[in-house]
Every structure is written in C-alpha cells, then in structure tokens.
Amino acid sequence: MKLRNLVEHNRLSHALLLNAPEGAGGMPLALAFAQFMVCKNVSEAGSKSNFPFESCGVCPSCIKAAGLIHPDIHYVYPVISRKSGDKPVSTDFISEWREFISQFPYGTIFDWLQFIEADNKQGNISAHECNEINRKLSLKSFESGYKILIIWMPEYLGNEGNKLLKLIEEPPPDTLFILVTENEAQILPTILSRVQIIQLPRPSVSEIQEALISRAGVSPEQARQLAAVSEQNYREALRQLQHGQDDWQGLLREWLNAVLKTGPLAQVKWVEEISRTGREKQKQFLQYFIHLLEQAIRLRMSDGSLTDLPDSEKDFALRLNKSGNLASQQAIIQEINKSIYYIERNANAKMLFHALTIRLYHILSAGEEVVVT
C-alpha cells in the first residue's frame, strides 16, 4: 500500500487526501491511520518506519482513538442548521457522528444526512467551521505528539475553504491533515494543490466476499452472491445484506410478466407496489436487475456453460436470454442506469417506473415473448 510505503520511508506529507470511491473504505482507513499515529506503543518503539503498520489497539491512546474521543484527533464533516440563524460546527453533532461511524463506517453523505434527519436540508462545511479549525489547530496537543484533523467530504467546502490554505500550507509542528473524499474533482483546486493525493482502488469481488465472511459472519454462498452484485462497493454489499430478505427475483418476475403478458392493470399495480418501497430499495432492485442481465449476457457468450452462478440465478438468466437478444439486454441496462441516476436525484417514483415499464415493453416486444415464470 502506498500509505504504508510513505510511512516506512519517512516521506509522509502533513496533508493527505484519500480519494476513495464509495465503499472503498476511505474513512475506516483514515481512522485506522490516525489511531496508528497517536498509538503510545508505536511512538515508544522509536521510528515509526521500523514498526508494523498497525496500532497496538490496547494502549489508552488507541482506546480513545477507537472511541472517537481522543483529544488530539479532530473531525470535520458536513452538518446542517437545526434552526434559523444557527452557525453549526461539527462538534455540535459529535454524539451523532460517533454513533454513525460505529454503525456505518462505510456510510455515504446520503447515509449521514439521513442519520441526522436532515430531511431536504443540504449539508455543508461552513466558513464558521473553518475558523474553528484554525483555532483548534493553533493549540498545543494534549496527549499525543500529533494533532490530527480528519475532514470527511471536503468537497462540501465551498470557497470558504480558502480560509484553510495558509494552515494547510504552513501548519503548526506535528500537525497532520487527512482529507477523505469520494470525488476529487469537486474539491477546491487551491486545496488540491496543497495535499498529497492517495488513490484507493475499489475492492475486488473476492476481497468483498472475504470481508463479508470474516466481518459480517455471512455464509460463503451468500457472501459470493452479495459480492457479485455489489459492483466492487463494500458499502453496497452491506446494504444488500441488510435487505437480504427482500425477494428481488420474485419482484422482477412479477414486473416482467406484467410487461410481457398480464398488461396495463398489472403494470399499474406493480408500479404502485415498487413506489412505496423508498429510493434505496428501488435502487437496489434495479441494480439486481442489471446484475441478472449481465449474467445473462455472460451465459449467452459462453453458450450457457458457466458454473459459478447459483441455480436460481442461472435459471432466471437463461429465461432472460429467451426474452430478448443481446442488443435488447444492453438497451435495458442503459435504461435502468438512467433510472438509477434519476432516483438519486429525487425523481417521482411512479412516473419513473411507469416510463421505464413502457420502455421495457417496447424493447422486449421486438423479441420473442416468453413469460418469465
């Protein structure tokens, strides 16, 4: 890992940007690295370059860092105003933050805003927060040799982020900035030019599968299925696990039968049903449909010889191949991806699924009509 090499060769910058796609573990890595930097057993061992890249986990500093209560590790994240005239800062939400990280270490900004019941409010990191950062980091450290600031989602810093430029460029001694982003392109260029960027790759399917088995106690078979549909996103795999009892195949079978056979009344009923499930479940359902279509294409290209699919998925994928050709399957995937994009932007669910149902009918009607039962 690049971060390990930087530590071992004493080339670590005082300002790091972890550019981590959703589900790649940017925040867990930032927290683990901050804990490593304040670990008493690491510091007492002498040069960090001669110590394994992990904290001891048992010293007082590690225990405090793991509980997000270490006095020399500060956290900044998007927050909302609870009432008119408020000038909220991250510490106003520190109790919620600790609980959120404990429950959802791979959570997204959407998860966080839902957690603090933001409703339609947009989170941001304000100029007032930037003033607080300057004040906190001007103070001496309490227990550790380092003062560490973790900024989660620095893309939510507007132009007020320029207030931090001098501090980032010329910080007090033994100050470490760790910025964690999902979208480097949305960060102020003036900040980007002052940080050392570390790209975190998406986890592989096998890594997600192993993590689900070892951390979540999932059976190997279920872990394999969840990893396959997670699109190299561990957070998505955990979310799928949370909704593991949802019968996506049954819902999809009902939808396709309504499109291909039972007609408008059944379609309206199905749209009403899916519209009541909420945006996250709608996205998960559509992502599962994409997964089955991709498996159907794999089966088509391999003449049905693939053996790594569960029997139920393989059977469903073979039926999908009988319902349309390769071009129609690719067209459906494009339409579903568009729908997921609109769901993320609060599109009206009934209108969206009605329109998607019509599009599916026109795409599939050109092929042989086979009822997916």
Side-chain angles (χ1 to χ4, degrees), residues 145-322:
Y146 278 90
K147 289 175 293 182
I148 301 173
L149 177 71
I150 298 177
I151 304 180
W152 184 61
M153 297 292 171
E155 51 265 54
Y156 282 77
L157 269 169
N159 290 328
E160 57 270 16
N162 288 316
K163 288 176 171 284
L164 301 177
L165 297 182
K166 183 173 177 58
L167 181 64
I168 294 175
E169 192 165 10
E170 300 177 6
D174 297 322
T175 300
L176 177 62
F177 293 86
I178 307 176
L179 284 64
V180 183
T181 182
E182 290 181 359
N183 194 337
E184 173 190 337
Q186 292 182 0
I187 298 175
L188 288 172
T190 48
I191 289 181
L192 282 179
S193 66
R194 290 165 170 80
V195 298
Q196 185 176 19
I197 300 174
I198 298 176
Q199 303 286 347
L200 270 64
R202 291 185 179 276
S204 67
V205 172
S206 61
E207 288 172 333
I208 292 175
Q209 183 175 345
E210 291 171 7
L212 288 170
I213 295 171
S214 61
R215 299 180 189 177
V218 176
S219 68
E221 177 60 21
Q222 187 182 15
R224 192 206 64 76
Q225 293 183 46
L226 290 169
V229 301
S230 66
E231 299 181 336
Q232 294 182 274
N233 182 334
Y234 186 59
R235 181 255 187 182
E236 179 61 30
L238 292 174
R239 188 168 54 182
Q240 293 280 2
L241 176 62
Q242 186 179 7
H243 299 287
Q245 301 303 315
D246 293 322
D247 183 11
W248 295 142
Q249 277 194 31
L251 190 61
L252 179 56
R253 185 181 298 108
E254 183 182 345
W255 189 21
L256 293 178
N257 281 335
V259 171
L260 292 170
K261 181 183 178 183
T262 49
L265 289 178
Q267 293 168 15
V268 170
K269 180 182 177 182
W270 185 89
V271 168
E272 290 285 344
E273 180 182 349
I274 192 69
S275 299
R276 290 193 294 267
T277 60
R279 283 184 299 167
E280 287 304 303
K281 284 197 173 185
Q282 291 161 12
K283 283 174 55 181
Q284 290 167 27
F285 167 69
L286 291 178
Q287 286 163 347
Y288 181 73
F289 191 7
I290 289 176
H291 164 68
L292 284 183
L293 286 167
E294 289 173 344
Q295 301 314 308
I297 292 172
R298 288 179 64 210
L299 284 168
R300 186 188 297 275
M301 304 304 288
S302 65
D303 298 323
S305 60
L306 292 177
T307 59
D308 62 338
L309 288 176
D311 290 341
S312 62
E313 285 194 3
K314 186 173 183 179
D315 179 67
F316 206 108
L318 288 171
R319 292 174 183 273
L320 288 174
N321 280 338
K322 295 177 181 179

Side-chain angles (χ1 to χ4, degrees), residues 127-138:
H128 188 55
E129 181 86 74
C130 294
N131 292 334
E132 277 293 292
I133 292 171
N134 279 296
R135 184 189 66 81
K136 286 178 182 177
L137 296 188
S138 67

